[in-house]
Amino acid sequence: MPGLQNATEFETVAIWVVLAIAILGLGYALLLRAQIMKAGKGTPKMQEVWNAIREGANAYLNRQLKTIVPFIVVLTVVLFFSVYVIPPSAEAMERFSGYDTGTIQIIVGIGRAIAFVMGACFSLAVGQFGMRMAVQGNVRVAAASSRSFSEALKLAYRTGTITGMLTDGLGLFGGTLIFIVFGIASPDVLLGFGFGGTLLALFMRVGGGIYTKAADVGADLVGKVEAGIPEDDPRNAAVIADLVGDNVGDCAGMAADIFESYEVTIVSGLILGCALVAITHEIKWIVFPLMVRGIGVFSSIIGTYTVKGNKSGDENAMGAINKGFYTSAAICLVAFFLLANFYMKEWRSFLSVAVGIVLAILLDEVTKYFTDTRYRPVKKIAGAAKSGGAATLILRGLSTGFEVAVWQTLIIAVTILASVLIYWGYDSNSAHEVTYILYGVAMTGIGMLTLTGNNVAMDSFGPISDNANGIGELAGLDENQRKIMGDLDSVGNTTKAITKGVAIGSAVIAAVSLFGSFLTDVSNTQIQMHMNAASTLMSTGIRISQPTVFVGALIGASIPWLFSSLIINAVARAASLIVEEVRRQFHIPGLMEGKVKPDYSHAVGICTSSAQKELITLTTISVLTPLIVGLFLGVEAMGGALAGVILSGQLLAVFMATSGGAWDNAKKTIEDGAYGGKGSEAHKASVVGDTVGDPLKDTAGPALNPMIKVINMVSLLAAPILVRYEGSTGLNIVVGVIFLIAVALSVFVSKRGGFKNTTEQLM
C-alpha cells in the first residue's frame, strides 16, 4: 500500500478495517432507509400535507444548490493553484520521492482540489439526503402514532439515525481514503477536505437558519398572537413554510454542521499526528485517531439500534434515547482502553479520548437541565409569563442564557486543561512537548465526536417529531395520536437543544485543534524559509502582549457579533414579509371559515428567496476578515484574531442557543396546561419570548459554529502564504485594501437585504 509505506502489518490491516467500518456505517444507513420506506404514510389528507412539505423542501434544496455550485467551482481552481504558491511539504516530497518537484506539485494540487470537492459534496450529501429522509419519515411517524407510541418513537429516531450514520460514514471514509493514498503527505490534502465540508456547512446553516425562522416567526406572530389560532392551523399561509423550515434548518443545517466538525477534528488530528510521526518515526499517531473513529461508528450502530419505547410518555422517550447514547459510550470507553493498552502501549491516548466523551456527556446534561421542561429553569421562565408577561419572561430567559454560557465555557476550559495535563512532561524537548499537548487536545475533539451518529440522530429526531405533530394537526388526527406526537415533539425540543450544545462545544474544541495545526504549519514554513527554530511561532507562541496581536484579538472577537447582527437582521426582514403575506391572505373571503385554502407556495417562495440572498455576503465576511488581519498586521496577529473568534463565538453561541431553547420549552410548558394554558395571557407572552428566541437558537447561534471553523480553516490555508510574502508590504496593502472594500460592501449589501434588493434600491 503506497501511502502506508512505514506501517506494520497490523496497522495496514487496521486501516482497511476502518475503511470497511465506514462503508458498514453507510450500509446501515441504507438498511434503515429501507425499513422507513416500508412504513405506511397514513390517510390521503396526511399525504396531501406531506406532499406540500416535500415539494417546498425540494424547491429550497434545488435553489440553494444553484447558489452554491459557482462558488465551489471557483474555490476548487484556487485550491489547485495554491500549491504553486506554497510548495509541497517535506513529507509530500518524501512520499512521492520518485517524481520531480513539478510533478509532485501537480499531484498535491489535484489531490487538494479533489479533496475540497469531496468534502463539499459529502457535506452537501449529508444535509440534502438526511433532510429528504426526514421529510419521508415525518408522515410515517404520524401514521405510526395510530398504532403505538413505541413504533412512532422507533421510526422517528431511526429516520434521524440515517443522517447520523451518513455523517459518521462519509466523514470517516473521506479521511481514511485520503490517508491511504497520501500517507504522511495527507496534511497537504486534508486541508482541502476540511475546508470543503466547513464552507458547505456555513452555506447550509445560514440559508437554512434564515428560512426556518422567517417562516416560524412570521407564522407565530400573525397566527398565534394576532388571530389566536393554533400553531399548525391550516388557515395560516405560512404553516407549510414553517414545517419545511424545520427540515432545512435543523436537519440539513445541523447535519452539515456536525459533519464538518467531524471532518475538521480528524483533519487536525492527522496533521498533528504527522508532526509526531516526524518526531518519533512511529505511524501509530495517525493510525490511532482513525481507529478511534472506526470504533465510534461501530458503537453508534449498536447504540442507535437499541432505541425503542415500551410505553407512552416523554420521560420514557428521553430514557430510551439516553439508553442508546450511554450504550454507545460504554462500548467506546472499553474499546479505547484496550486499543491504548495493546496498540499505543501508553495510557495518555486513552485518557485524551475519554475526556472528550465525558465532555459530550457533561454538555448534554447541563443543556438538558437548563432547557428541559422537567427542570426548574424552564418552569421559572414559564412562571414569569404569568406574573409579569413577556418582559419578565424574556428577562428570565436572558439570565438563563448568560448563566449557561459561563458553565459550558468553564466545562470546556477544564476539559482542555485536562487534555493539556495528560501529555504534560511527555517529552523533555519543549517544542516537541507542545506538539504532544496539541495532539492531546485534538484527540479530545475526536473523542467528543466519537458518538456523532447518536448526536445527529438525536438532533434530527426533533424536526421529524415536530413535523409529524404538525401533520397530525393539519390532517385532524384524533386526540390519542396527537398526544403521542406531542410527547415526541416535547422530547424533540430537548434533544435539539442538547445537540446544539454539543455542536457548539465541538466547534470550540475543533477550532482549538485547528489553532494547534495553525502553529505547526506556520512554524514549518518559517523553518523552510531558514528562520531560527527558537524564533518560530511554535516556540514564541501567540504573544498577546504585542499591541498588534491584541488588536487582532479584538477584531476577531467582534466578528461573531457582526455576523449575528446581520443574520438576525435578515431573519427580521424576511419575517416581516411573511407577516404581511399571512395578514393579506387572512382577508381572503372564506379563508378564516375554512372554505378556502391559503396559498402556501407563496410563503414558501418568500422564505426560499430570502434565505439565498445572504449566503454570499456572510460567507465573504467570514472568509476575508482573517485575511485582512493577516495582511495588515501579520501572521501572529492573525493567530490573535483566531483566539478572539473562538472565545467570543463560544460565549455568544451558547447564550443564544440556550436562551432560545429555554423560551421555546417555557411556551410548551404553558401549552401543556400550566398558568392558564393555550390562549391565556401567559401563553401570548410565551409566544413573544419564543419568537424572540427562535432566530437566536436556530439561526444566529448555530451559524456561529461553522463560521468559527471557516475562519480557522481559511487562516490555516493562508498563513503559510502570508509567511512567505511577509516582506512584500506594498502587495499586502493593495490586496488588503481590496479585501477590506469587499467586506465593507458585503456588510452594506446584507443590511439592505441582499444583492437583489440592493440593486433594486440603487436603480
Side-chain angles (χ1 to χ4, degrees):
M1 187 186 301
L4 300 175
Q5 61 266 46
N6 297 320
T8 65
E9 183 178 352
F10 170 79
E11 288 167 336
T12 302
V13 172
I15 291 299
W16 282 112
V17 169
V18 169
L19 190 67
I21 290 175
I23 296 171
L24 177 65
L26 297 175
Y28 178 53
L30 293 177
L31 172 66
L32 293 179
R33 180 186 182 277
Q35 291 181 359
I36 301 303
M37 297 301 286
K38 288 179 182 178
K41 291 185 286 188
T43 66
K45 179 63 177 175
M46 292 166 63
Q47 293 183 47
E48 180 185 341
V49 176
W50 168 70
N51 266 317
I53 298 171
R54 184 172 58 86
E55 289 169 4
N58 289 340
Y60 170 80
L61 291 175
N62 293 336
R63 175 76 176 270
Q64 186 182 61
L65 192 61
K66 292 177 182 177
T67 305
I68 291 173
V69 167
F71 211 75
I72 298 302
V73 171
V74 171
L75 286 174
T76 301
V77 175
V78 170
L79 282 171
F80 171 76
F81 285 106
S82 67
V83 76
Y84 290 97
V85 180
I86 298 297
S89 64
E91 290 80 10
M93 300 297 288
E94 179 185 343
R95 164 68 184 87
F96 300 105
S97 57
Y99 301 94
D100 59 70
T101 302
T103 304
I104 294 174
Q105 285 180 313
I106 293 174
I107 292 172
V108 174
I110 291 174
R112 187 177 293 173
I114 291 175
F116 172 74
V117 173
M118 185 166 65
C121 289
F122 283 2
S123 185
L124 188 66
V126 166
Q128 290 226 358
F129 188 77
M131 174 180 156
R132 293 179 196 278
M133 280 311 305
V135 173
Q136 290 289 340
N138 55 32
V139 69
R140 291 168 168 83
V141 172
S145 67
S146 65
R147 296 185 289 276
S148 71
F149 174 84
S150 177
E151 185 177 348
L153 168 63
K154 185 170 69 173
L155 274 177
Y157 191 79
R158 289 189 178 177
T159 303
T161 302
I162 294 172
T163 310
M165 296 317 300
L166 285 174
T167 305
D168 261 348
L170 290 176
L172 184 60
F173 180 81
T176 307
L177 188 63
I178 289 171
F179 175 67
I180 287 174
V181 175
F182 287 89
I184 59 173
S186 297
D188 291 66
V189 176
L190 282 168
L191 289 176
F193 184 61
F195 186 45
T198 302
L199 191 66
L200 259 292
L202 182 62
F203 277 133
M204 300 187 81
R205 258 306 187 195
V206 169
I210 293 172
Y211 185 113
T212 182
K213 292 304 110 179
D216 197 1
V217 171
D220 281 358
L221 284 177
V222 185
K224 288 184 177 180
V225 178
E226 293 185 10
I229 59 177
E231 180 171 355
D232 294 315
D233 194 291
R235 294 169 292 179
N236 192 324
V239 69
I240 296 297
D242 186 11
L243 293 172
V244 171
D246 291 331
N247 293 290
V248 301
D250 283 320
C251 286
M254 176 61 91
D257 182 5
I258 294 185
F259 174 78
E260 53 98 10
S261 286
Y262 192 88
E263 274 188 333
V264 164
T265 50
I266 198 68
V267 167
S268 59
L270 292 179
I271 288 174
L272 292 164
C274 284
L276 291 182
V277 171
I279 295 171
T280 65
H281 306 292
E282 293 180 295
I283 203 170
K284 68 179 184 179
W285 303 106
I286 43 183
V287 174
F288 178 71
L290 292 174
M291 294 175 71
V292 165
R293 278 286 159 83
I295 291 168
V297 173
F298 184 74
S299 67
S300 287
I301 292 174
I302 296 174
T304 55
Y305 206 78
T306 64
V307 174
K308 52 188 175 182
N310 297 318
K311 57 183 180 179
S312 183
D314 53 2
E315 291 187 17
N316 178 56
M318 197 71 230
I321 292 171
N322 284 335
K323 177 185 175 184
F325 181 85
Y326 289 120
T327 298
S328 296
I331 294 171
C332 283
L333 287 172
V334 172
F336 295 162
F337 176 79
L338 295 174
L339 184 64
N341 188 49
F342 293 105
Y343 173 58
M344 296 296 285
K345 300 189 185 306
E346 51 94 27
W347 52 269
R348 288 179 170 87
S349 54
F350 165 71
L351 289 181
S352 294
V353 291
V355 163
I357 293 177
V358 172
L359 172 61
I361 292 172
L362 287 176
L363 291 178
D364 276 3
E365 294 302 319
V366 169
T367 306
K368 187 191 304 179
Y369 175 74
F370 283 98
T371 58
D372 197 309
T373 56
R374 294 173 294 168
Y375 299 114
R376 178 183 171 88
V378 169
K379 290 179 179 178
K380 297 292 287 185
I381 294 171
K386 181 174 177 62
S387 59
T392 52
L393 176 135
I394 289 173
L395 288 173
R396 283 274 191 182
L398 290 174
S399 173
T400 298
F402 289 140
E403 182 181 353
V404 179
V406 173
W407 297 128
Q408 287 210 12
T409 302
L410 289 176
I411 289 171
I412 292 173
V414 171
T415 302
I416 293 174
L417 180 61
S419 62
V420 168
L421 292 175
I422 287 168
Y423 276 99
W424 193 274
Y426 192 83
D427 195 304
S428 57
N429 184 306
S430 59
H432 292 174
E433 184 180 55
V434 170
T435 306
Y436 279 108
I437 288 172
L438 292 173
Y439 179 80
V441 174
M443 290 306 98
T444 296
I446 285 178
M448 181 182 182
L449 289 172
T450 293
L451 303 178
T452 289
N454 302 69
N455 284 323
V456 176
M458 289 169 64
D459 180 75
S460 296
F461 174 84
I464 291 166
S465 301
D466 192 353
N467 267 208
N469 198 19
I471 291 172
E473 184 165 333
L474 288 168
L477 299 186
D478 64 49
E479 187 175 337
N480 289 334
Q481 290 177 263
R482 293 298 316 284
K483 175 66 170 61
I484 289 174
M485 288 182 286
D487 287 343
L488 294 177
D489 188 13
S490 177
V491 173
N493 281 331
T494 301
T495 59
K496 284 192 295 183
I498 288 171
T499 50
K500 282 183 176 67
V502 172
I504 294 167
S506 71
V508 174
I509 297 295
V512 173
S513 301
L514 287 175
F515 195 68
S517 302
F518 174 84
L519 295 175
T520 301
D521 277 13
V522 169
S523 298
N524 288 341
T525 305
Q526 290 172 331
I527 289 172
Q528 287 177 7
M529 297 187 67
H530 310 294
M531 180 181 286
N532 188 297
S535 302
T536 62
L537 206 60
M538 184 65 80
S539 298
T540 63
I542 305 294
R543 296 166 295 182
I544 199 69
S545 58
Q546 295 289 324
T548 54
V549 177
F550 190 77
V551 169
L554 289 175
I555 294 171
S558 68
I559 297 173
W561 295 83
L562 174 63
F563 189 89
S564 299
S565 168
L566 295 176
I567 199 170
I568 290 174
N569 187 44
V571 172
R573 188 168 50 242
S576 297
L577 297 176
I578 292 295
V579 166
E580 292 173 5
E581 176 61 20
V582 175
R583 282 175 180 161
R584 181 189 69 80
Q585 293 202 34
F586 274 163
H587 290 94
I588 295 175
L591 187 141
M592 294 304 290
E593 292 78 20
K595 297 177 181 178
V596 178
K597 285 186 177 182
D599 181 3
Y600 299 123
S601 62
H602 196 195
V604 170
I606 290 172
C607 292
T608 301
S609 176
S610 299
Q612 305 310 309
K613 290 174 184 175
E614 304 293 334
L615 293 183
I616 302 302
T617 55
L618 291 171
T619 303
T620 300
I621 293 168
S622 302
V623 169
L624 296 185
T625 306
L627 299 181
I628 293 170
V629 174
L631 287 165
F632 284 118
L633 301 178
V635 72
E636 190 174 346
M638 178 188 275
L642 297 186
V645 167
I646 295 168
L647 180 58
S648 173
Q650 148 73 14
L651 289 165
L652 186 57
V654 173
F655 158 69
M656 291 193 290
T658 308
S659 290
W663 280 322
D664 190 358
N665 270 347
K667 180 195 69 174
K668 296 288 184 186
T669 298
I670 295 173
E671 288 178 343
D672 287 340
Y675 307 111
K678 291 184 179 180
S680 65
E681 291 302 313
H683 182 233
K684 291 179 180 179
S686 71
V687 171
V688 173
D690 181 39
T691 302
V692 172
D694 272 339
L696 301 186
K697 73 180 175 67
D698 290 328
T699 307
L704 289 178
N705 305 336
M707 186 217 71
I708 291 170
K709 284 169 284 190
V710 162
I711 289 175
N712 275 268
M713 287 299 304
V714 169
S715 301
L716 192 55
L717 286 163
I721 300 175
L722 293 175
V723 171
R724 287 188 172 273
Y725 290 92
E726 205 164 18
S728 306
T729 307
L731 177 63
N732 287 354
I733 291 174
V734 170
V735 176
V737 168
I738 293 171
F739 287 173
L740 190 60
I741 292 171
V743 169
L745 181 63
S746 296
V747 173
F748 173 81
V749 169
S750 181
K751 292 182 72 172
R752 281 157 179 75
F755 283 109
K756 185 177 179 181
N757 285 1
T758 303
T759 304
E760 291 171 353
Q761 290 173 10
L762 293 175
M763 293 174 63

